[in-house]
Amino acid sequence: MSLRALLLDVDGTLADTESHGHRPAYNQAFRSLGLRFRWNSRLYRKLLALPGGRERLTYYLRHYQPELGAQADAARHDEAAWVDRVHQLKSRYFRAFVRKGKVPLRPGVARLIAEAKSAGVKVALVSNASHDSLNAVLNHAMPGLAEQVDLIVSGADVAAKKPSPDPYLHAMNQLDLKPWQCVALEDSAMGLQAATSAGICTIITRNENTLDDDFSKARLVLDGLGEPEAPVSVIRGTLEGGWLTLADVEAMLAPPVRSRAA
């Protein structure tokens, strides 16, 4: 098998963490701090263009200038510290939501990972999220599958988060693999840019937050991974069956690009 590693994004790809976990956790954090504003789905989709939670909070403060009430003085005195405090609170709520089973895996994820491991293909999670958030998903949304993950790359492991290729370059370096030996699974234009900039063939499984993203550089665009009893819709590209299999993933691989000198 020419495929050596399956590199999976987490938020929105493995699970609908944004809709069922992160956004509700932000709003719970705002509520607990006595803040009156909430992030609705439309606003949150815009904020997802930013690479991480602290970046989204900072952008929201500066560009939307929400009423902060009793929190205003603290935010003005040290914006970074206040943002960090809110983000830490949000992260605690997110982990609680995951522990309570409110953030299940998307259909087909467990099946595809199991197929990869049975075939000797390595599985890596490549995400902008923190290690704490990733561990929560692994331990609670993926019971029984956590031990099948060979590598975790978080936003804290690299100098620049997605859309920079750094997370994927780091993953390949750790696995000692080349781009033509890997396929990435992503759900957003940001993730697609990161993977393709690293030279990796990418399959998109879009969700409600990424319906309008530009996926023209993806090899295949689906609305999920699918299961035999729950087939997927193909948005772009070709899929023989009604669900994505490991054989389908390997078929996406392009041959290695060789220099003329070789």
Side-chain angles (χ1 to χ4, degrees):
M1 175 172 283
S2 56
L3 177 66
R4 298 286 303 282
L6 193 60
L7 310 180
L8 300 107
D9 174 52
V10 176
D11 291 326
T13 302
L14 262 64
D16 283 324
T17 54
E18 304 293 6
S19 298
H20 300 300
H22 289 296
R23 186 171 70 85
Y26 278 113
N27 287 335
Q28 185 63 40
F30 300 153
R31 185 178 298 109
S32 69
L33 291 171
L35 300 171
R36 302 187 66 177
F37 58 84
R38 303 289 182 266
W39 287 357
N40 60 32
S41 57
R42 183 177 180 181
L43 170 61
Y44 193 61
R45 279 194 292 272
K46 294 180 180 179
L47 296 175
L48 286 175
L50 282 300
R54 290 177 177 82
E55 292 89 342
R56 290 167 196 143
L57 285 164
T58 301
Y59 181 90
Y60 182 72
L61 280 182
R62 295 177 180 178
H63 292 266
Y64 288 83
Q65 299 183 346
E67 173 56 53
L68 298 180
Q71 297 291 320
D73 287 343
R76 278 195 298 266
H77 176 70
D78 191 334
E79 180 186 80
W82 188 84
V83 164
D84 190 62
R85 176 191 171 202
V86 177
H87 189 263
Q88 288 182 10
L89 182 59
K90 167 261 169 185
S91 296
R92 288 201 295 271
Y93 284 123
F94 173 78
R95 293 192 293 271
F97 290 156
V98 175
R99 286 196 300 270
K100 293 175 181 178
K102 295 184 177 182
V103 189
L105 293 181
R106 296 182 70 182
V109 169
R111 172 186 54 75
L112 188 61
I113 290 176
E115 287 182 25
K117 298 308 296 180
S118 294
V121 174
K122 293 186 179 297
V123 173
L125 304 186
V126 184
S127 173
N128 279 350
S130 68
H131 274 288
D132 285 344
S133 292
L134 294 175
N135 286 333
V137 173
L138 275 173
N139 294 330
H140 300 285
M142 295 178 63
L145 289 176
E147 62 271 17
Q148 299 188 53
V149 175
D150 298 285
L151 174 69
I152 299 174
V153 177
S154 83
D157 296 322
V158 292
K161 298 178 182 180
K162 302 175 188 178
S164 164
D166 284 12
Y168 281 105
L169 294 173
H170 181 72
M172 289 189 292
N173 181 61
Q174 292 296 303
L175 296 171
D176 193 24
L177 294 175
K178 302 299 183 184
W180 56 82
Q181 297 174 307
C182 307
V183 171
L185 265 68
E186 280 281 356
D187 71 300
S188 69
M190 179 187 296
L192 175 63
Q193 181 178 336
T196 55
S197 294
I200 301 172
C201 170
T202 307
I203 298 172
I204 293 292
T205 60
R206 70 180 194 178
N207 57 58
E208 64 178 17
N209 290 314
T210 63
L211 296 178
D212 298 324
D213 282 15
D214 179 5
F215 295 132
S216 57
K217 291 185 179 180
R219 188 66 57 85
L220 179 66
V221 182
L222 309 170
D223 66 356
L225 298 181
E227 295 282 17
E229 67 278 7
V232 298
S233 296
V234 178
I235 313 303
R236 182 174 181 272
T238 303
L239 184 68
E240 293 297 326
W243 58 94
L244 188 72
T245 67
L246 191 67
D248 296 319
V249 174
E250 184 170 33
M252 298 294 112
L253 281 177
V257 177
R258 302 185 182 278
S259 67
R260 293 181 180 178

